[in-house]
Amino acid sequence: MVQIPRTPDPAPPAPLPVPTSTDVARRAGVSRATVSYVLNGSGTVRISEPTRRRVQQAARELGYVPHAAARALRSGHSRMVLVTAPSYPAGPIYHRFLDELQWALGRLGYTVVQHGTAPRHGARGPYSDDAARTWAELRPVAVLVPGSGLRPDAVDLLRRSGARAVLTLGPETVPGAHALLTDHEAVGHRAGRHLHDRGRRRIGVVVPTEPGHEVFATPRLAGVRRAVAGTTATVTELPLAYAEGDAARLAADWGPLGLDAVFAYNDEYAMLLMRALQDEGLGVPEDVALLGADDLMLGRLLRPRLSTVHLELPSGRDLAALVDRAVRDPAAPPERHTVLGAQVVHRESS
Amino acid sequence: MVQIPRTPDPAPPAPLPVPTSTDVARRAGVSRATVSYVLNGSGTVRISEPTRRRVQQAARELGYVPHAAARALRSGHSRMVLVTAPSYPAGPIYHRFLDELQWALGRLGYTVVQHGTAPRHGARGPYSDDAARTWAELRPVAVLVPGSGLRPDAVDLLRRSGARAVLTLGPETVPGAHALLTDHEAVGHRAGRHLHDRGRRRIGVVVPTEPGHEVFATPRLAGVRRAVAGTTATVTELPLAYAEGDAARLAADWGPLGLDAVFAYNDEYAMLLMRALQDEGLGVPEDVALLGADDLMLGRLLRPRLSTVHLELPSGRDLAALVDRAVRDPAAPPERHTVLGAQVVHRESS
DNA sequence: TTGAAAGCGCTACCAT
DNA sequence: ATGGTAGCGCTTTCAA
């Protein structure tokens, strides 16, 4: 960070005392109870119009903002939905989904808060109790955990701390938690079947070596295997780091592999590999068919245009509704939903 | 969402009462005060080892998790740093930065919470008071607002609600808030100078038509203009949507433009445009030089390899230190820092 | 070394 | 229609 020359700047006003509902009450000449009634529009109690006005004006003049923590403490529950940071590097698809979810939950009166305790080096394990404890301290009414690694005891901890619903969005179910299953096995299966349908018989499957991707890569690989089970086709695992050098290495050793198709994990790895293959003089799709996933824009810009598996997360509205339902009936048995739409988009590379 | 058949699932236990420090005290046979001392390791008070043990064991057995809101209420301040959702579509660079920041603030004892009130269609304006109010209700000790659009009255509202520091990370300063200035004018300037140095004289600058990008695009354009001011070079604004069709349209009308270089806003737009140009038979960089920004991996995979402006956000550690400093001395005048490292990486496209 | 008690800001019950 | 007041879970001074 570089300090740049600055013109003298007016110091901010000394920290004023934060106005409370008591201040509003005093200023409006009413009791705190009345203030609360006016500002929260309690259903049962009626306040006269003049009083109501005085209170609202006093609140405005003071810049009064209610204290969410105090409210939660008193009322025994918050409207906070905590979304934890995904355990994997999230892409544009996830962010669009989260945006939608936030908006939909907002309409239902919830406040969405993201907590990014990304598991760092040296952490004891995925979603160690430490992380879950931090979440629990916030006393969210619901917790959504995208990705994998949520442990059953963490679910327990959260529920015992008052969370009325715990939901996972990922490849596995966790006891006690509602599950939105992203069925990556099905993604692999679609990919495998597509390549097999196109007449390919020696299929490679890229498995990123970067940590955090196993969650998707493993079931996708299994899906491809299942797709060609009972046929003459073979499936070969292709570890690959997201780096030019590694792709070049893989491409250089391509011959002996004898592969005629690759499901490249996603569009970005596909682009990486396509480039390396082409640089090595191999033809796509003549020599080797290439299939990505995610349907990113960049796939359409490649030559040949990249075939891909288009993925679709659940609509934010649907998920918001599920959260709301779960919160209203915390004792209901966990729901399980399959939420990952997967569809092959056939373009030119396969 | 598709409901899949499920085996009957054990219903979760009826919502147990959440254990409080009173429960821990009772179980350990001590007072709540003692529990607090033990669990928070108060500096002044010494608790005997046996008592300490009993308390800790009781807490463990009960699955006790302190109530952050209650604690904040009593102590008068929280350790929550609120990071609002960026007002622009955030890329991998931002996410890496945020990760780092979170980690660094965590080490300083803060809890980072992201609040995504992304300004949606129909919202009254950028960061309307509504959004700021929601933030203020959480009574964060500090608020970091990436992007632009934070209004001075929102800063005021936040400070009057007890936020000891408000920081912006973006192209503009806001009165009352610390500013981490991402100097995109400098990015444009570097880009313009590079292209001019390479002998280009008719320079196009891509300006995305998608909303939200103006914040960057406008100053970048201005920077290019400044870089060639006083020379014979010209600068042409090139509105472009992130869609194949629009790029094709632009490329089809290329001739009359008479441009020999383009600063393409970022690597993704650069890739889009490069493809369209090449499809149109134009040579990069012979006919037209192309410069991206962000230094994404995909730039290295293009042919020719994409020249780009490498951007660097401040280190999470530095920023965490600044937040901490600002929180400790809330009356200090706002700091201003320029935090965007910009450096041209010359490859083959320019 | 430990406990009693006040009080943070707020809501909701019960009076008036 | 409005006010008094208890108490949510916690920390911290003051006494014992």
Side-chain angles (χ1 to χ4, degrees):
Chain A
M1 285 194 295
V2 178
Q3 174 94 49
I4 65 171
R6 357 185 328 277
T7 59
D9 211 325
L16 298 180
V18 180
T20 72
S21 78
T22 305
D23 298 321
V24 178
R26 186 167 29 234
R27 179 156 191 136
V30 299
S31 76
R32 282 156 56 217
T34 306
V35 171
S36 178
Y37 290 142
V38 171
L39 264 31
N40 298 317
S42 155
T44 45
V45 187
R46 293 259 152 271
I47 301 289
S48 71
E49 198 49 41
T51 312
R52 172 185 239 72
R53 266 196 220 299
R54 284 217 314 288
V55 169
Q56 281 167 339
Q57 172 168 358
R60 209 175 318 117
E61 288 170 357
L62 256 34
Y64 170 73
V65 175
H67 192 307
R71 174 181 297 181
L73 189 57
R74 173 62 233 224
S75 65
H77 57 260
S78 73
R79 298 288 286 176
M80 182 196 299
V81 174
L82 192 151
V83 180
T84 70
S87 64
Y88 50 90
I93 302 187
Y94 174 74
H95 287 108
R96 212 171 323 122
F97 155 76
L98 191 58
D99 241 42
E100 236 190 279
L101 174 66
Q102 247 159 182
W103 182 78
L105 279 173
R107 292 196 55 100
L108 260 30
Y110 296 93
T111 296
V112 175
V113 145
Q114 283 174 262
H115 191 113
T117 307
R120 303 282 299 203
H121 334 284
R124 280 202 296 279
Y127 298 129
S128 63
D129 274 2
D130 259 22
R133 257 186 74 98
T134 311
W135 304 338
E137 285 184 1
L138 299 174
R139 296 288 194 275
V141 67
V143 182
L144 172 64
V145 182
S148 71
L150 180 68
R151 292 188 324 217
D153 44 315
V155 177
D156 216 62
L157 182 68
L158 288 168
R159 298 218 54 140
R160 293 190 53 103
S161 310
R164 295 167 65 93
V166 179
L167 331 231
T168 61
L169 170 61
E172 23 173 66
T173 75
V174 180
H178 299 271
L180 300 162
L181 287 167
T182 54
D183 185 1
H184 289 271
E185 207 271 349
V187 173
H189 188 261
R190 291 265 203 302
R193 208 178 46 194
H194 171 77
L195 293 173
H196 190 267
D197 286 353
R198 307 283 309 162
R200 309 290 170 155
R201 290 297 176 267
R202 300 189 50 82
I203 301 175
V205 176
V206 168
V207 176
T209 56
E210 284 78 13
H213 287 275
E214 323 80 50
V215 214
F216 303 148
T218 310
R220 285 184 189 184
L221 175 60
V224 176
R225 287 226 153 88
R226 180 166 64 89
V228 301
T231 74
T232 60
T234 65
V235 173
T236 307
E237 195 174 334
L238 259 25
L240 176 62
Y242 194 59
E244 276 188 282
D246 202 51
R249 174 201 55 71
L250 180 57
D253 299 341
W254 199 256
L257 257 24
L259 300 176
D260 60 10
V262 176
F263 175 43
Y265 180 65
N266 71 17
D267 289 352
E268 292 179 305
Y269 283 83
M271 178 177 184
L272 179 66
L273 188 55
M274 180 188 290
R275 176 55 64 205
L277 257 19
Q278 290 176 333
D279 283 354
E280 202 62 37
L282 271 58
V284 177
E286 309 83 70
D287 300 319
V288 44
L290 213 48
L291 182 63
D294 286 352
D295 195 10
L296 300 185
M297 164 71 89
L298 65 79
R300 266 166 287 185
L301 300 178
L302 296 177
R303 295 298 179 267
R305 290 171 215 271
L306 186 67
S307 297
T308 190
V309 183
H310 177 91
L311 266 33
E312 190 136 19
L313 283 175
S315 92
R317 256 189 49 257
D318 286 352
L319 182 42
L322 167 56
V323 169
D324 191 44
R325 210 181 323 136
V327 165
R328 286 173 193 280
D329 184 5
E335 300 186 25
R336 268 138 193 54
H337 295 282
T338 295
V339 296
L340 196 60
Q343 214 167 344
V344 172
V345 178
H346 181 208
R347 292 204 268 254
E348 305 165 358
S349 69
S350 65
Chain B
M1 283 193 297
V2 179
Q3 173 96 46
I4 65 172
R6 356 185 328 274
T7 59
D9 209 324
L16 297 180
V18 180
T20 72
S21 78
T22 305
D23 298 321
V24 177
R26 186 167 30 232
R27 180 159 191 134
V30 299
S31 74
R32 283 157 54 215
T34 306
V35 171
S36 178
Y37 289 142
V38 171
L39 265 30
N40 299 316
S42 154
T44 44
V45 187
R46 294 259 152 272
I47 301 287
S48 70
E49 197 51 40
T51 310
R52 171 186 241 71
R53 265 195 221 300
R54 284 217 315 288
V55 169
Q56 281 168 339
Q57 173 168 356
R60 209 175 317 115
E61 289 170 355
L62 256 35
Y64 170 73
V65 175
H67 191 307
R71 175 181 297 182
L73 190 57
R74 170 64 231 218
S75 64
H77 57 260
S78 73
R79 298 288 286 178
M80 181 196 300
V81 174
L82 191 151
V83 180
T84 71
S87 64
Y88 51 89
I93 302 187
Y94 174 73
H95 287 108
R96 211 171 324 122
F97 155 75
L98 192 55
D99 241 42
E100 236 189 277
L101 174 66
Q102 253 162 175
W103 182 79
L105 280 173
R107 291 196 55 99
L108 260 30
Y110 295 92
T111 296
V112 175
V113 145
Q114 283 173 262
H115 190 111
T117 308
R120 303 280 298 203
H121 334 284
R124 279 202 297 280
Y127 297 134
S128 63
D129 274 1
D130 259 22
R133 258 185 73 99
T134 311
W135 304 337
E137 286 184 1
L138 300 174
R139 295 290 193 277
V141 68
V143 181
L144 172 63
V145 183
S148 71
L150 180 68
R151 292 190 323 218
D153 44 315
V155 177
D156 216 60
L157 183 67
L158 289 168
R159 298 218 53 140
R160 294 189 54 102
S161 311
R164 295 167 64 93
V166 179
L167 331 230
T168 61
L169 170 61
E172 23 174 67
T173 75
V174 180
H178 298 272
L180 300 162
L181 287 168
T182 53
D183 186 0
H184 289 271
E185 207 271 351
V187 173
H189 189 261
R190 292 266 203 301
R193 208 177 46 194
H194 171 77
L195 293 174
H196 190 267
D197 286 352
R198 307 284 308 162
R200 309 289 170 155
R201 290 297 176 268
R202 299 189 50 82
I203 302 176
V205 176
V206 167
V207 176
T209 56
E210 283 80 13
H213 288 274
E214 322 81 52
V215 213
F216 303 148
T218 309
R220 286 184 189 182
L221 175 61
V224 177
R225 287 224 153 90
R226 181 167 64 90
V228 302
T231 73
T232 60
T234 65
V235 174
T236 307
E237 196 174 333
L238 259 25
L240 176 61
Y242 194 58
E244 274 189 284
D246 202 50
R249 174 200 55 72
L250 180 58
D253 298 343
W254 199 254
L257 256 24
L259 300 175
D260 60 8
V262 176
F263 174 42
Y265 180 65
N266 72 17
D267 289 352
E268 293 180 303
Y269 284 83
M271 178 178 185
L272 178 66
L273 189 54
M274 181 188 289
R275 177 53 65 205
L277 257 18
Q278 290 176 334
D279 284 354
E280 203 62 36
L282 271 61
V284 177
E286 309 83 70
D287 300 319
V288 43
L290 214 48
L291 182 62
D294 286 352
D295 196 8
L296 301 184
M297 164 70 88
L298 66 79
R300 266 167 286 186
L301 300 178
L302 296 177
R303 295 298 179 266
R305 290 172 215 272
L306 186 67
S307 297
T308 190
V309 184
H310 177 91
L311 267 32
E312 190 136 18
L313 282 176
S315 92
R317 255 190 50 257
D318 286 352
L319 183 42
L322 168 57
V323 169
D324 191 45
R325 208 180 326 133
V327 165
R328 286 174 192 279
D329 183 5
E335 299 186 25
R336 268 138 191 54
H337 294 282
T338 295
V339 295
L340 195 61
Q343 215 167 344
V344 171
V345 179
H346 181 209
R347 292 203 269 255
E348 305 164 356
S349 69
S350 65

